[in-house]
Amino acid sequence: MTCTDEDIDGLVTPTKIHRRVYTDAAIFDLEMQRIWGKAWIFIGHESQVPDPGDYTTLTIGRAPIVMVRDKQHEIHVLHNRCGHKGAKLVDKPCGKVGGFRCCYHGWTYRLDGKLLGVPHMAGYEDTGFDKDDPQYSMQKLARYESHRGFVFASMDPSAPDLRTWLGGAGDVLDNLCDRSPEGEVEVAGGVLRYEHECNWKMFLENLNDTMHPMIVHRSVVDAANDYIKTLPEDSPHRDEAEIIPPFGASYENFEATGITGFRYGHHYDGGKSSIHSNYSVDPDYEAVMLEAYGAERTREILTFNTHNTLYYPSLTIKSAIQNIRIVRPIAVDRCVVETWSFRLKGAPDSMLQRTILYSRLINSNGSMVGPDDLTAYFRMQQGLESRASEWVEMHRNYGSDEDHGDRWTNKGTSDLDMRSQYGAWRHYMIGEAV
Ligand code: FES
Ligand SMILES: [Fe+2]
């Protein structure tokens, strides 16, 4: 099925989304060009490539990309494509190299992508081929920038600068880093990665969907509460147990946490409080924070309690937990979700242990919570093949979003998150003002 801008315009209204947005491969193709080919996309964290020659690979939409640190310690985000006949240059997820060498005809490249060597150059004499012409090098992405170690890139030369694009939602990324007494975080351990048989947007729409946890996660919350009752007061497993029950919080609780939306489709739930607010604070951690920041600033940092924050379309973070999730679309009905855990530099090891525990208990493929959500997405993907109705609805609290200039807010149970995302979707897809 083809898709004109006029068609797209009619697919998303302020209160309804057409089913084609989740099921039509032609729309997925356009999203890969117009959203993933234009927005700032999260590439990785600087700590993944600490030394010269370290690289990590990924895809943006369908395009293969490599992030690499060069000999001057500068990070580059390059198209993972040979300048000769286009072979993908680097095939492994990550590693260390002195330079890049194509597996096909052996062209070699510097770590910043510049073409270095072409075998048997004699054949190119008097042909008009110029080895120094930049078109034969590995191409840099149009834009790449780092914010506190988090590297983003855009294929759009006219994209706004990264800080402008992050807007007020950038406060949450700052808060994640400020929770380190040194103000810095680093990736710890490996990645948890699993495929989701659903459209990539369903994962994003679920992040601040606070109408689902008390339904979808009910059974695991009940099981966790039963288990907690069996634990002695001083049990070392209390930390584990306290992570799960907040997922069963009431509608009133979630309503009170609020949702805040920003330009370019970003949003978070919580702020003053979230489902993470009541986790106990390790006294050793509190002590190093007080020493680093003083009482007032420590209180400010630790009481900015968001749950999920989305940087549309690729990155979601939990600042209070120090883990992030990344979505990578594969096809209209398939995506991969990755979870990465972070160490707060200068904090006791117990903080990292809690982060990894959370990532495994809540976000991994073997977790007790993530697969509940996955089942719901998969059922939506199946259900939307039905022609019983053409529409998915998002009316909750429509018409009552409060405008604060650079952000808008509403109750935590509202569909403000969906309205924010689809405002950005229309901006990227049909050029509507954002
Ligand atoms: S395609 Fe890479 S050297 Fe020929
Ligand atoms: Fe969930």
Coordinates of all heavy atoms in Angstrom, one line a residue, residues 34-66:
R34 N 11.8 9.2 7.9 CA 11.4 10.5 8.3 C 11.6 10.7 9.8 O 11.7 11.9 10.3 CB 10.0 10.8 7.9 CG 9.8 10.8 6.4 CD 8.4 11.2 6.0 NE 8.3 11.2 4.6 CZ 7.1 11.5 3.9 NH1 6.1 11.8 4.6 NH2 7.1 11.5 2.6
I35 N 11.4 9.7 10.6 CA 11.6 9.8 12.1 C 13.1 9.4 12.4 O 13.9 10.2 12.9 CB 10.6 9.0 12.9 CG1 9.2 9.5 12.5 CG2 10.9 9.2 14.4 CD1 8.1 8.7 13.2
W36 N 13.4 8.2 12.1 CA 14.7 7.6 12.5 C 15.8 8.2 11.7 O 17.0 8.3 12.1 CB 14.7 6.1 12.5 CG 13.8 5.6 13.5 CD1 12.4 5.5 13.5 CD2 14.2 5.1 14.8 NE1 11.9 5.0 14.7 CE2 13.0 4.8 15.5 CE3 15.4 4.9 15.5 CZ2 13.0 4.3 16.8 CZ3 15.4 4.4 16.8 CH2 14.2 4.1 17.4
G37 N 15.5 8.7 10.5 CA 16.5 9.4 9.6 C 16.6 10.9 9.9 O 17.4 11.5 9.3
K38 N 15.9 11.4 10.9 CA 15.9 12.8 11.2 C 16.1 13.2 12.6 O 16.8 14.1 13.0 CB 14.6 13.5 10.7 CG 14.6 13.7 9.1 CD 13.6 14.7 8.7 CE 12.2 14.2 8.7 NZ 11.2 15.1 8.1
A39 N 15.5 12.4 13.5 CA 15.5 12.8 14.9 C 16.9 12.5 15.5 O 17.7 11.8 14.9 CB 14.5 12.0 15.7
W40 N 17.2 13.0 16.7 CA 18.4 12.6 17.4 C 18.2 11.2 18.0 O 17.2 11.0 18.7 CB 18.7 13.6 18.6 CG 19.3 14.9 18.2 CD1 18.6 16.1 18.0 CD2 20.7 15.2 17.9 NE1 19.5 17.1 17.6 CE2 20.8 16.5 17.6 CE3 21.8 14.4 18.0 CZ2 22.0 17.1 17.3 CZ3 23.1 15.0 17.6 CH2 23.1 16.3 17.3
I41 N 19.0 10.3 17.6 CA 18.9 8.9 18.1 C 20.0 8.6 19.1 O 21.2 9.0 18.8 CB 19.0 8.0 16.8 CG1 17.9 8.3 15.8 CG2 18.9 6.5 17.3 CD1 16.5 8.2 16.2
F42 N 19.7 7.9 20.1 CA 20.7 7.5 21.1 C 21.6 6.5 20.5 O 21.2 5.4 20.0 CB 20.0 7.0 22.4 CG 21.0 6.5 23.4 CD1 21.9 7.5 24.0 CD2 21.2 5.2 23.8 CE1 22.8 7.1 24.9 CE2 22.1 4.8 24.7 CZ 22.9 5.8 25.3
I43 N 22.9 6.7 20.6 CA 23.9 5.8 20.0 C 24.5 4.9 21.0 O 24.6 3.7 20.9 CB 25.0 6.6 19.3 CG1 24.4 7.6 18.2 CG2 26.1 5.7 18.8 CD1 23.8 6.8 17.1
G44 N 24.9 5.5 22.2 CA 25.5 4.7 23.2 C 26.2 5.6 24.2 O 26.1 6.9 24.1
H45 N 26.8 5.0 25.2 CA 27.4 5.8 26.3 C 29.0 5.8 26.0 O 29.5 4.8 25.6 CB 27.1 5.3 27.6 CG 27.5 6.2 28.7 ND1 28.7 6.1 29.4 CD2 26.9 7.3 29.3 CE1 28.8 7.1 30.3 NE2 27.7 7.8 30.2
E46 N 29.6 7.0 26.3 CA 31.0 7.1 26.0 C 31.8 6.0 26.7 O 32.9 5.6 26.2 CB 31.5 8.5 26.5 CG 31.1 9.6 25.7 CD 31.6 11.0 26.2 OE1 32.4 11.0 27.1 OE2 31.1 12.0 25.7
S47 N 31.4 5.5 27.9 CA 32.1 4.5 28.6 C 32.1 3.1 27.9 O 32.9 2.2 28.3 CB 31.5 4.3 30.0 OG 30.2 4.0 30.0
Q48 N 31.3 3.0 26.8 CA 31.3 1.8 26.0 C 32.6 1.7 25.2 O 32.9 0.7 24.7 CB 30.1 1.6 25.2 CG 28.8 1.4 25.9 CD 27.6 1.4 25.0 OE1 26.8 2.4 25.1 NE2 27.4 0.4 24.2
V49 N 33.2 2.9 24.9 CA 34.4 2.9 24.0 C 35.4 3.8 24.8 O 35.8 4.9 24.4 CB 34.0 3.5 22.6 CG1 33.2 2.5 21.8 CG2 33.3 4.9 22.7
P50 N 36.0 3.2 25.9 CA 36.8 4.1 26.7 C 38.2 4.4 26.1 O 38.8 5.4 26.4 CB 37.0 3.2 28.0 CG 36.7 1.8 27.6 CD 35.7 1.9 26.5
D51 N 38.7 3.5 25.2 CA 40.1 3.7 24.7 C 40.1 3.8 23.2 O 39.2 3.3 22.5 CB 41.0 2.5 25.2 CG 41.0 2.4 26.7 OD1 41.3 3.4 27.3 OD2 40.8 1.3 27.2
P52 N 41.2 4.4 22.6 CA 41.3 4.5 21.2 C 41.1 3.1 20.5 O 41.7 2.1 21.0 CB 42.7 5.0 21.0 CG 43.0 5.8 22.2 CD 42.3 5.1 23.3
G53 N 40.3 3.1 19.5 CA 40.1 1.8 18.7 C 38.9 1.0 19.2 O 38.4 0.1 18.6
D54 N 38.4 1.4 20.4 CA 37.2 0.7 20.9 C 36.0 1.1 20.0 O 35.8 2.3 19.7 CB 36.9 1.1 22.4 CG 37.9 0.5 23.3 OD1 38.6 -0.5 22.9 OD2 37.9 1.0 24.5
Y55 N 35.1 0.2 19.7 CA 34.0 0.5 18.9 C 32.8 -0.3 19.3 O 32.9 -1.3 20.0 CB 34.2 0.2 17.4 CG 34.3 -1.2 17.1 CD1 33.1 -2.0 16.9 CD2 35.5 -1.9 17.0 CE1 33.2 -3.3 16.6 CE2 35.6 -3.2 16.7 CZ 34.4 -4.0 16.5 OH 34.5 -5.3 16.2
T56 N 31.6 0.2 19.0 CA 30.3 -0.5 19.2 C 29.4 -0.3 18.0 O 29.5 0.8 17.4 CB 29.7 -0.1 20.5 OG1 28.5 -0.8 20.7 CG2 29.3 1.4 20.6
T57 N 28.7 -1.3 17.6 CA 27.8 -1.1 16.4 C 26.4 -1.2 16.7 O 26.0 -1.7 17.8 CB 28.1 -2.2 15.4 OG1 27.8 -3.5 16.0 CG2 29.6 -2.2 14.9
L58 N 25.6 -0.6 15.9 CA 24.1 -0.6 16.1 C 23.4 -0.3 14.7 O 24.1 -0.2 13.7 CB 23.7 0.5 17.1 CG 24.1 1.9 16.7 CD1 23.0 2.9 17.2 CD2 25.4 2.4 17.2
T59 N 22.1 -0.2 14.7 CA 21.4 0.2 13.5 C 20.6 1.4 13.9 O 20.1 1.5 15.0 CB 20.5 -0.8 12.9 OG1 19.6 -1.3 13.9 CG2 21.3 -2.0 12.3
I60 N 20.5 2.4 13.0 CA 19.4 3.4 13.1 C 18.5 3.2 12.0 O 18.8 3.3 10.8 CB 20.0 4.8 12.9 CG1 21.0 5.1 14.1 CG2 18.9 5.9 12.9 CD1 21.6 6.5 14.0
G61 N 17.2 2.8 12.3 CA 16.3 2.3 11.3 C 17.0 1.1 10.7 O 17.3 0.1 11.4
R62 N 17.2 1.2 9.4 CA 17.9 0.0 8.7 C 19.4 0.2 8.5 O 20.1 -0.6 8.0 CB 17.2 -0.3 7.4 CG 15.8 -0.7 7.5 CD 15.3 -1.4 6.3 NE 14.0 -2.0 6.4 CZ 12.9 -1.4 6.1 NH1 12.9 -0.2 5.6 NH2 11.7 -2.0 6.3
A63 N 19.9 1.5 8.8 CA 21.2 1.8 8.5 C 22.2 1.3 9.5 O 22.1 1.6 10.7 CB 21.3 3.3 8.3
P64 N 23.3 0.6 9.1 CA 24.3 0.1 10.0 C 25.2 1.3 10.4 O 25.7 2.1 9.5 CB 25.0 -0.9 9.3 CG 24.8 -0.7 7.8 CD 23.5 0.1 7.7
I65 N 25.5 1.4 11.7 CA 26.3 2.5 12.3 C 27.4 2.0 13.2 O 27.2 0.9 13.8 CB 25.3 3.4 13.1 CG1 24.1 3.9 12.3 CG2 26.1 4.6 13.7 CD1 24.3 4.8 11.2
V66 N 28.5 2.7 13.3 CA 29.5 2.3 14.2 C 29.9 3.6 15.0 O 30.1 4.6 14.4 CB 30.7 1.6 13.6 CG1 31.3 2.5 12.5 CG2 31.8 1.2 14.6

